[in-house]
Amino acid sequence: HLGYSIKANPFLIPVMAEICDALEVCSPGELAICEALQVAPEKILYSGVNKTPVDIREAMQYGAGIFTAESLKHMHEISAEAVKENKTVPVLLRLNAGSQFGMSKQDLLSIIDHPEEYPNTAVKGIHYFAGTQRKKTVKQLKELELLKQLYQEIETEHGLKLEKMEY
């Protein structure tokens, strides 16, 4: 399944919305572009590190198909807005890939182990972004192996079978 980050070339949205399973939207402005172009809301993966509760609510009201949680704080904000909207929203947890973005493995597992702290959310997978302009396949294979092992650990030791990965 292919996802497309609209940040790169938003002029491609009409075509990519037809051929991709998901469009990654990282800001209120990008969401507004998708709304203006009448992108099917279920195709929207609402991501980005600076989402406010208002931004989250607007994406939920539009019907965004899945959200990323960049931190424990984001997960609490997504949950709070989902409760207010009386919706259960699917979430990808963003695992830190060595930058300032994303959460630690410990925080990620804490969310998985304590779903009662995040009502109206359903953890569906992991979001992992290691950067752009990456030309060494060996690094990508290493990351994918790390993620495969993490998925296996989450299933066997934490009882959750994850369905999705954004890489």
Side-chain angles (χ1 to χ4, degrees):
H1 298 277
L2 184 64
Y4 178 73
S5 178
I6 71 167
K7 176 185 309 284
N9 293 294
F11 69 91
L12 291 174
I13 292 171
V15 171
M16 299 310 270
E18 287 186 33
I19 64 173
C20 291
D21 296 304
L23 297 179
E24 184 184 36
V25 173
C26 294
S27 71
E30 291 177 6
L31 183 64
I33 292 168
C34 288
E35 288 181 89
L37 293 173
Q38 299 180 333
V39 170
E42 63 275 6
K43 286 195 167 208
I44 292 175
L45 167 69
Y46 198 59
S47 197
V49 295
N50 290 319
K51 297 183 296 282
T52 67
V54 170
D55 300 331
I56 293 166
R57 183 178 324 115
E58 287 174 358
M60 278 183 199
Q61 288 173 347
Y62 185 61
I66 195 162
F67 291 75
T68 62
E70 312 287 332
S71 63
L72 293 172
K73 178 184 177 211
H74 265 150
M75 189 65 177
H76 281 292
E77 289 173 348
I78 291 167
S79 174
E81 293 305 319
V83 168
K84 287 178 193 173
E85 292 296 315
N86 195 29
K87 293 181 175 183
T88 298
V89 297
V91 178
L92 299 178
L93 303 176
R94 182 171 184 181
L95 178 63
N96 181 289
S99 71
Q100 75 263 31
F101 303 116
M103 64 183 84
S104 67
K105 178 180 173 184
Q106 178 182 353
D107 286 349
L108 186 142
L109 294 175
S110 173
I111 291 169
I112 289 170
D113 289 340
H114 301 286
E116 71 283 356
E117 293 181 24
Y118 310 95
N120 292 48
T121 63
V123 174
K124 296 295 184 181
I126 293 174
H127 168 103
Y128 190 83
F129 177 73
T132 60
Q133 306 298 321
R134 302 176 67 235
K135 297 175 182 170
K136 296 192 188 242
T137 306
V138 78
K139 281 185 100 175
Q140 294 168 13
L141 291 172
K142 229 174 161 179
E143 291 165 351
L144 289 169
E145 183 58 33
L146 174 137
L147 291 166
K148 178 182 172 186
Q149 290 173 9
L150 179 57
Y151 271 61
Q152 289 170 344
E153 176 186 340
I154 290 169
E155 183 174 359
T156 58
E157 296 178 27
H158 301 271
L160 179 64
K161 184 169 177 60
L162 298 174
E163 304 167 11
K164 296 183 177 286
M165 177 189 301
E166 183 185 8
Y167 177 79

